[in-house]
């Protein structure tokens, strides 16, 4: 097996360890977002759309599932952005050491995957302190898939924009997408048809199924995987385009 | 004054920042209005005002605070080294802190005016008082702009600082929206509660929410004092070598 890729992944992950403030923020944000809403929302029951049916769930449980999705989306998006912005110089050095663009792409995807696993574990770890999902493993897997989707989106945004622009986009899009538009989709409401095309749509729908029912709609899981795959392909194409132009 | 003008110019020169400044309020107001306004009434919400209005005002407050806050944070990070050098070359630390606050105030005013125009356009001329709305949004903007400087002083890292700032703005905007029956003693602890009530009353009734003016200004004063102290502490003293 090519040992160069694990070495590059290790370097990338170490880059995160070297920024303890980022690690601390990764721990604090899920506690703050999930904790604040669980404490503040009224302890009443609300109707929630689960597939074709409407079920009644408690508001704190609803808020926990929602904030789990928001936390993982925003943290993974920022990690993806951080990964691109912090690894430009390292990538140039690795290229000089003989790494191909393909090896760099695989290494960066590996670093992102490792980071998303950590973010997922922390966020789900916080969520289960106040809520037990009906299907724990499906719930955790979907949180991870949502993290991958937003992490890749962070990479794409980091490749296309500068730091200030990237920070704005990656902090605001998850809040707009997951927090507000999909908040509406999971409650009985006039659905906005175009929200089906948002990055968090499939994952959030599947997450609510896994949180409150034993089964998960396979269409939604496939949609989540498909969305993440398309974004990954697009990011790789943009990466090749940018690195190709800069080395010409 | 020269420093303030240079700082404001350095942000408005960036085409992407300028585009965000113009687009973000409209997008945020529309999305929040659509999202909250579309939810069926099943007894969850604790308000007499139409949900779409609440959503749009919440979107306006969120975009003002997030925009002004991140600009405050990036401004504070980008001038830290320069300010340290200015201290060594004889500027007083309080003078520099005052220049930061003045820049935040100018930025917050620009953001508040753009957001009010966006609000006027998206609610089709139903804005009862544009002047009071600008004033309420200005308070929200300056509050978060100063908080951005505070976070930049105690956590001088752009990504992590922005994350903390926007997470706080989001929770604060939703809690302040008044949609959920949360005790006032809790909601008023968060920065946006009083400015939200000032803006909502300005938009719906066109009058000044006098009961919220003093608490909002008091909150702002406390944040300015805390931030001024943190900013001055972060700078070297005149005798330090940078």
């Amino acid at each position: 097996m090519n040992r160069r890729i694990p070495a590059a992944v290790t370097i990338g992950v170490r880059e995160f360890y070297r920024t303890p403030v980022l690690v601390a923020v990764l721990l604090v944000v899920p506690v703050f977002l999930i904790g604040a809403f669980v404490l503040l929302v009224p302890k009443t029951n609300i109707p929630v759309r689960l597939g074709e049916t409407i079920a009644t769930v408690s508001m704190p449980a609803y808020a926990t599932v929602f904030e789990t999705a928001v936390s993982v989306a925003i943290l993974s998006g920022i990690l993806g952005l951080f990964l691109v912005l912090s690894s430009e110089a390292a990538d140039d050095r690795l290229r000089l050491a003989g790494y191909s663009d393909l090896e760099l792409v695989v290494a960066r995807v590996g670093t992102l995957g490792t980071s998303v696993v950590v973010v997922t574990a922390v966020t789900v770890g916080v969520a289960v302190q106040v809520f037990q999902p009906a299907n724990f493993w499906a719930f955790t897997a979907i949180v991870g898939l949502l993290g991958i989707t937003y992490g890749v989106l962070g990479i794409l945004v980091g490749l296309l924009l500068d730091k200030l622009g990237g920070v704005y986009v990656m902090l605001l899009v998850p809040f707009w997408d997951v927090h507000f538009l999909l908040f509406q989709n999971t409650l009985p409401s006039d659905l906005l048809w175009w929200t089906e095309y948002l990055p968090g749509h499939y994952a959030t729908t599947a997450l609510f199924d896994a949180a409150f029912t034993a089964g998960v709609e396979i269409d939604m899981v496939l949609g989540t995987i498909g969305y993440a795959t398309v974004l990954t392909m697009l990011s790789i194409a943009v990466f090749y385009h940018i690195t190709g132009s800069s080395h010409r | 004054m020269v420093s303030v003008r240079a700082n404001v110019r350095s942000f408005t020169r960036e085409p992407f920042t300028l585009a965000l400044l113009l687009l973000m309020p409209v997008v945020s107001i529309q999305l929040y209005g659509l999202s909250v306004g579309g939810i069926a009434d099943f007894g969850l919400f604790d308000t007499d005002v139409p949900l779409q209005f609440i959503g749009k005002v919440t979107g306006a407050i969120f975009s003002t605070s997030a925009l002004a806050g991140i600009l405050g944070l990036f401004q504070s990070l980008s001038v830290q080294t320069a300010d340290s050098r200015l201290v060594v070359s004889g500027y007083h630390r309080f003078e520099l802190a005052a220049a930061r606050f003045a820049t935040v105030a100018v930025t917050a005013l620009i953001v508040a005016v753009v957001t009010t125009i966006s609000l006027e356009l998206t609610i089709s001329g139903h804005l009862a008082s544009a002047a009071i709305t600008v004033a309420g949004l200005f308070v929200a903007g300056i509050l978060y702009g100063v908080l951005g400087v505070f976070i930049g002083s105690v956590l001088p890292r752009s990504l992590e600082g922005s994350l903390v700032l926007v997470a706080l703005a989001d929770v604060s905007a939703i809690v302040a929206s008044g949609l959920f029956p949360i005790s006032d003693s809790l909601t008023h602890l968060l920065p946006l509660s009083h400015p939200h009530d000032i803006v909502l009353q300005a938009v719906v009734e066109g009058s000044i929410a006098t009961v919220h003016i003093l608490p909002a200004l008091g909150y702002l004063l406390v944040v300015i004092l805390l931030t001024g102290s943190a900013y001055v502490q972060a700078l070297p003293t005149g005798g330090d070598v940078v």
Side-chain angles (χ1 to χ4, degrees):
Chain A
M1 189 191 157
N2 183 350
R3 274 200 246 161
R4 285 146 46 113
I5 292 173
V9 172
T10 310
I11 292 169
V13 173
R14 264 194 209 142
E15 189 73 30
F16 288 118
Y17 283 134
R18 286 203 196 109
T19 50
V21 176
L22 179 66
V23 176
V25 169
L26 293 185
L27 294 173
V28 168
V29 167
V31 174
F32 174 67
L33 284 176
I34 295 171
F37 280 97
V38 169
L39 282 174
L40 290 174
V41 295
K43 311 288 179 277
T44 54
N45 289 332
I46 58 164
V48 171
R49 184 185 286 126
L50 297 173
E52 298 298 313
T53 59
I54 302 285
T56 301
V57 304
S58 81
M59 189 69 189
Y62 176 85
T64 305
V65 179
F66 223 93
E67 293 311 314
T68 302
V70 173
S71 291
V72 87
I74 197 162
L75 290 175
S76 305
I78 282 291
L79 277 175
L81 185 68
F82 182 90
L83 185 67
V84 170
L85 297 176
S86 66
S87 65
E88 274 174 39
D91 281 357
D92 287 341
R93 281 196 290 272
L94 289 172
R95 257 191 215 100
L96 280 177
Y99 275 73
S100 66
D101 281 350
L102 179 65
E103 284 174 316
L104 288 177
V105 166
V106 175
R108 293 301 160 233
V109 170
T111 309
L112 178 70
T114 311
S115 312
V116 168
V117 167
V118 174
V119 168
T120 301
V122 171
T123 311
V124 172
V126 172
V128 295
Q129 302 305 311
V130 285
F131 169 73
Q132 292 302 317
N135 189 336
F136 174 80
W137 292 111
F139 182 84
T140 307
I142 294 160
V143 170
L145 282 173
L146 180 63
I148 290 285
T149 306
Y150 264 94
V152 175
L153 195 60
I155 286 181
L156 186 59
V157 168
L159 288 168
L160 295 172
L161 300 177
D162 65 1
K163 194 183 241 184
L164 179 61
V167 164
Y168 265 123
V169 171
M170 284 323 296
L171 286 175
L172 298 175
V173 167
F175 277 121
W176 283 345
D177 169 16
V178 183
H179 225 171
F180 271 87
L181 293 166
L182 298 177
F183 163 71
Q184 190 233 28
N185 271 10
T186 52
L187 294 174
S189 57
D190 302 326
L191 282 178
L192 303 168
W193 61 270
W194 49 268
T195 56
E196 285 186 22
Y197 300 100
L198 292 172
H201 169 73
Y202 294 105
T204 311
T205 310
L207 194 66
F208 270 79
D209 281 348
F212 297 112
T213 65
V216 179
E217 274 187 55
I218 194 71
D219 290 359
M220 292 297 146
V221 177
L222 290 177
T224 309
I225 294 169
Y227 212 115
T229 308
V230 169
L231 278 178
T232 306
M233 295 298 164
L234 194 60
S235 301
I236 291 171
V238 171
F239 177 81
Y240 271 106
H241 178 72
I242 290 173
T243 52
S245 328
S246 63
H247 290 118
R248 233 172 259 149
Chain B
M1 274 314 289
V2 176
S3 157
V4 175
R5 247 200 321 260
N7 269 310
V8 173
R9 264 199 209 134
S10 73
F11 285 108
T12 50
R13 248 199 318 253
E14 291 289 327
F16 189 78
T17 312
L18 211 54
L20 268 174
L21 181 67
L22 297 175
L23 282 177
M24 192 185 144
V26 177
V27 174
S28 188
I29 292 165
Q30 283 290 30
L31 288 184
Y32 280 53
L34 278 172
S35 162
V36 177
I39 299 168
D41 183 12
F42 44 84
L44 171 67
F45 301 117
D46 182 34
T47 176
D48 300 327
V49 181
L51 287 180
Q52 204 181 21
F53 256 60
I54 300 257
K56 287 185 173 177
V57 168
T58 305
I61 288 275
F62 176 69
S63 66
T64 305
S65 53
L67 263 173
I70 294 180
L71 283 175
L73 173 72
F74 273 75
Q75 182 225 138
S76 121
L77 295 178
S78 67
V79 297
Q80 262 170 8
T81 314
D83 277 1
S84 299
R85 289 201 188 105
L86 288 173
V87 169
V88 175
S89 62
Y91 276 77
H92 199 283
R93 292 188 295 172
F94 290 104
E95 216 177 330
L96 295 170
R100 291 304 132 249
F101 290 140
T103 311
V104 164
V106 173
T107 315
L109 186 61
I110 296 170
V111 173
V113 170
V114 171
T115 308
T116 304
I117 295 168
S118 310
L119 200 54
E120 172 76 37
L121 292 173
T122 53
I123 61 176
S124 323
H126 288 105
L127 189 70
S129 170
I132 306 171
T133 306
V134 169
L137 289 173
F138 175 64
V139 173
I142 199 166
L143 195 52
Y144 263 82
V146 175
L147 271 174
V149 176
F150 177 75
I151 291 173
S153 305
V154 296
L155 180 65
R157 301 182 62 88
S158 51
L159 288 174
E160 295 87 335
S162 312
L163 191 53
V164 170
L165 194 75
V166 175
L168 182 63
D170 182 63
V171 171
S172 182
I174 295 173
V175 171
S177 69
L179 283 170
F180 305 112
I182 302 167
S183 159
D184 281 353
S185 57
L186 286 175
T187 58
H188 288 160
L189 288 175
L190 291 168
L192 292 177
S193 290
H194 296 294
H196 182 278
D197 291 340
I198 293 170
V199 175
L200 188 63
Q201 192 163 321
V203 170
V204 178
E205 297 172 18
S207 57
I208 300 172
T210 43
V211 71
H212 294 287
I213 299 278
L214 268 182
L217 294 179
Y219 205 117
L220 181 60
L221 183 67
V222 170
V223 173
I224 286 176
L225 289 176
L226 273 176
T227 305
S229 160
Y231 194 80
V232 166
Q233 290 296 319
L235 289 173
T237 57
D240 292 348
V241 177
V242 181

